[in-house]
Amino acid sequence: MSKILYEVYQNDIKDSESVMYGKWYARLKSIETLNMSKLAKHISEHGSVFTEDVVEGVMKKFKTCLLEMLLESKKVKIAGLGTFYLTCECTKGGADKESEFNVNQHLKALHIRFLPDQTEEDNLSSREFIKKAGFVNIKSLLSGKSDEEDGDDEENGEQGGSQNQGGSSQNGGSQTQTVMAPEITGTTPFTETTSVSIQAEQGAEVSYTTDGSMPTAESTLYSEPFTLSDSATVKAIATIGGVSSEVSSKSFTKGSGGGGSNGGGNDVN
């Protein structure tokens, strides 16, 4: 079985009263980034009847056509792999009225997103895909230890990281990664507006909603604190390497009792 490399690191960010500070987590490590030519060479040498230049030509055409289709408001589904699609990111604050919304003013960016195939025969969703992988601590490779020796060390010294805290845990003898749910902070109740921040472990991509719906890959991508001017329920998930956390939820109430709590106070679903 192929092995995925990971390293264990300590969160040293002191930005808030976060329960994540000082805890130990896992993050994946890559040994190489294949460019298109190298991948085409690999495909041509991997039982393919097509030469390297033909494979690369098809890949370049695929890239061009993929972008063309996305910009025509179409999703592109590759059977057994997943679906490519676009989402938009709006400027902080948005428009006050529907009639005042202006694409040039209020749209900040477009994001190419990917949703893994979740059919029964080709389920690449995060919780299923992880079952197909084996993991090796990069520290064991650098120290020259064998997989068995490293497994002994982790069993003796790293148990307890199996909770949902972003660390590594044992599952059938192999290492699996979990991602800690993000922390949502902001004052509630509030009088006029409140600033909402979402913090997650290092390297995580955070998606969130403000209407109480469950966040998905199509939800807004968090990049900076945002402002609420009305009561709302913020829900968020953190994702690392295709592995998603549980959903964090925090309700913000607009009323006369301003100067309320600014703590994390998240409900995790």
Side-chain angles (χ1 to χ4, degrees):
M1 179 186 291
S2 299
K3 298 293 185 180
I4 294 178
L5 298 179
Y6 73 95
E7 69 175 0
V8 179
Y9 72 97
Q10 186 175 31
N11 183 356
D12 58 358
I13 301 176
K14 299 182 179 180
D15 292 14
S16 70
E17 300 175 359
S18 171
V19 296
M20 298 183 293
Y21 174 69
K23 300 297 180 64
W24 292 85
Y25 305 97
R27 57 188 170 203
L28 302 187
K29 303 293 290 184
S30 299
I31 58 175
E32 182 182 4
T33 299
L34 294 181
N35 59 25
M36 188 178 293
S37 295
K38 288 184 177 180
L39 182 56
K41 185 176 186 298
H42 174 80
I43 294 174
S44 68
E45 295 175 347
H46 207 261
S48 174
V49 297
F50 301 104
T51 59
E52 180 181 338
D53 59 328
V54 172
V55 174
E56 185 171 357
V58 172
M59 293 174 66
K60 289 181 177 179
K61 192 64 176 178
F62 169 77
K63 180 199 72 173
T64 300
C65 292
L66 172 64
L67 297 178
E68 179 184 353
M69 294 297 99
L70 293 177
L71 291 172
E72 290 184 5
S73 293
K74 297 178 181 179
K75 297 181 178 181
V76 178
K77 182 175 182 179
I78 309 300
L81 184 62
T83 303
F84 292 90
Y85 60 98
L86 288 180
T87 61
C88 65
E89 180 181 354
C90 294
T91 56
K92 181 179 179 181
D96 293 329
K97 300 178 181 178
E98 179 179 1
S99 59
E100 295 177 354
F101 185 87
N102 182 287
V103 169
N104 295 324
Q105 179 182 352
H106 296 107
L107 274 188
K108 181 178 180 181
L110 292 177
H111 300 283
I112 298 178
R113 307 298 289 269
F114 175 77
L115 180 65
D117 197 328
Q118 299 186 37
T119 58
E120 184 175 352
E121 62 274 17
D122 292 301
N123 194 330
L124 297 181
S125 60
S126 59
R127 298 188 184 279
E128 291 298 318
F129 192 41
I130 196 172
K131 297 177 183 178
K132 307 176 187 295
F135 294 85
V136 174
N137 191 326
I138 195 170
K139 183 178 179 181
S140 67
L141 295 182
L142 297 177
S143 65
K145 288 185 179 181
S146 65
D147 289 349
E148 290 77 11
E149 290 173 323
D150 184 59
D152 291 339
D153 287 346
E154 289 172 355
E155 182 176 354
N156 294 329
E158 295 183 13
Q159 287 186 350
S162 60
Q163 301 300 319
N164 188 25
Q165 295 180 346
S168 58
S169 63
Q170 291 194 347
N171 182 10
S174 63
Q175 295 296 318
T176 59
Q177 179 186 6
T178 57
V179 179
M180 186 173 182
E183 182 183 20
I184 305 170
T185 59
T187 300
T188 184
F190 61 94
T191 52
E192 298 296 332
T193 62
T194 184
S195 178
V196 179
S197 297
I198 306 176
Q199 293 185 321
E201 59 183 281
Q202 184 175 343
E205 181 180 85
V206 176
S207 298
Y208 71 95
T209 62
T210 58
D211 58 1
S213 62
M214 299 297 285
T216 66
E218 296 188 22
S219 302
T220 304
L221 191 65
Y222 179 81
S223 59
E224 60 184 1
F226 56 92
T227 300
L228 293 177
S229 55
D230 292 299
S231 297
T233 297
V234 178
K235 293 188 176 183
I237 55 172
T239 303
I240 299 179
V243 180
S244 296
S245 70
E246 294 183 351
V247 178
S248 290
S249 177
K250 185 174 178 65
S251 295
F252 294 89
T253 304
K254 184 174 182 178
S256 58
S261 171
N262 191 37
N266 300 330
D267 294 324
V268 179
N269 299 325

